[in-house]
Amino acid sequence: SAVISQKPSRDICQRGTSLTIQCQVDSQVTMMFWYRQQPGQSLTLIATANQGSEATYESGFVIDKFPISRPNLTFSTLTVSNMSPEDSSIYLCSVGGTSSSYEQYFGPGTRLTVT
Amino acid sequence: LAKTTQPISMDSYEGQEVNITCSHNNIATNDYITWYQQFPSQGPRFIIQGYKTKVTNEVASLFIPADRKSSTLSLPRVSLSDTAVYYCLVGDIGTDKLIFGTGTRLQVFP
């Protein structure tokens, strides 16, 4: 299994600003995923980030709003740009397990509140 | 996009067996069914994965019927520490995407 850390663990931001969330893994992984989880709701995939290529975004999520970097095999960032209160959520990164992408290991999440 | 649905909540008592079902009638042909457990303020944790029939590990069993349109996570002899939200994760044949279920909040009472 992989150990994943995220920074910050939580933040309160003002409308119109941007926040960059960092995800660090203790081993090299090919696939990294970014999810959003609104309070009391299930997880929604934002994008898949593979090292050396552009991130693949899911329907409803665009690169201008959620730019992602993947500079190496152990690190990724997700930026939430031009935030509004609707962006208040928990953002989680995960990595695929060694056997398949279905077995994923998740970070603890970043709780974002936009005022 | 077909939804992957689960009961919203379940209650149980310590020592009982709990069965949580996930309905996924749009599952992709070749995809596995995976279940996760999530505690408050934590990311989901992998529990078990299967493709068909029955899979068992040290914490749970997973039952999958032949048509694979549903799956049942079975937790034997639950304890208070099993109080959590449980999610299934399947591939959707229409979109070729992995979809988390709606989640089941399990409350275990002493």
Side-chain angles (χ1 to χ4, degrees):
Chain A
S1 65
V3 177
I4 303 161
S5 59
Q6 287 184 232
K7 290 182 182 180
S9 59
R10 60 177 61 220
D11 207 342
I12 301 173
C13 301
Q14 288 195 339
R15 181 195 301 261
T17 63
S18 298
L19 176 72
T20 295
I21 301 168
Q22 300 178 9
C23 180
Q24 180 76 52
V25 188
D26 68 343
S27 58
Q28 294 185 339
V29 293
T30 302
M31 300 180 72
M32 295 183 76
F33 307 91
W34 286 97
Y35 288 87
R36 183 171 71 183
Q37 185 175 32
Q38 296 178 314
Q41 302 296 313
S42 184
L43 291 85
T44 300
L45 182 63
I46 297 171
T48 301
N50 291 335
Q51 196 271 336
S53 62
E54 294 291 321
T56 302
Y57 289 83
E58 298 302 308
S59 175
F61 298 97
V62 296
I63 187 171
D64 290 346
K65 175 68 175 177
F66 297 100
I68 289 172
S69 76
R70 184 77 201 275
N72 57 53
L73 291 172
T74 64
F75 188 78
S76 178
T77 67
L78 169 76
T79 298
V80 186
S81 303
N82 188 25
M83 287 184 286
S84 67
E86 292 71 36
D87 294 320
S88 297
S89 190
I90 298 170
Y91 293 85
L92 301 111
C93 68
S94 75
V95 303
T98 55
S99 57
S100 74
S101 61
Y102 308 90
E103 183 179 347
Q104 298 180 36
Y105 301 100
F106 284 82
T110 296
R111 182 179 294 272
L112 171 62
T113 302
V114 184
T115 60
Chain B
L1 179 62
K3 244 186 159 180
T4 302
T5 57
Q6 301 175 231
I8 293 175
S9 64
M10 297 181 71
D11 292 338
S12 182
Y13 291 94
E14 283 191 292
Q16 290 189 332
E17 178 184 77
V18 171
N19 296 309
I20 305 173
T21 299
C22 178
S23 172
H24 35 76
N25 56 13
N26 221 37
I27 186 171
T29 304
N30 298 319
D31 279 2
Y32 282 82
I33 299 161
T34 314
W35 282 80
Y36 290 81
Q37 176 191 55
Q38 186 176 29
F39 297 111
S41 301
Q42 295 185 23
R45 182 176 72 97
F46 171 84
I47 301 174
I48 195 167
Q49 174 175 282
Y51 182 77
K52 60 180 179 181
T53 63
K54 177 184 175 181
V55 178
T56 297
N57 63 20
E58 62 275 9
V59 297
S61 294
L62 179 59
F63 297 91
I64 304 168
D67 66 6
R68 300 191 350 110
K69 294 184 182 300
S70 66
S71 59
T72 299
L73 174 72
S74 181
L75 304 173
R77 298 179 300 283
V78 294
S79 65
L80 296 176
S81 63
D82 293 317
T83 294
V85 180
Y86 293 83
Y87 293 98
C88 60
L89 174 66
V90 301
D92 181 85
I93 195 170
T95 63
D96 197 30
K97 302 295 183 186
L98 292 176
I99 307 294
F100 272 92
T102 50
T104 299
R105 186 174 302 275
L106 172 65
Q107 178 70 54
V108 180
F109 295 96

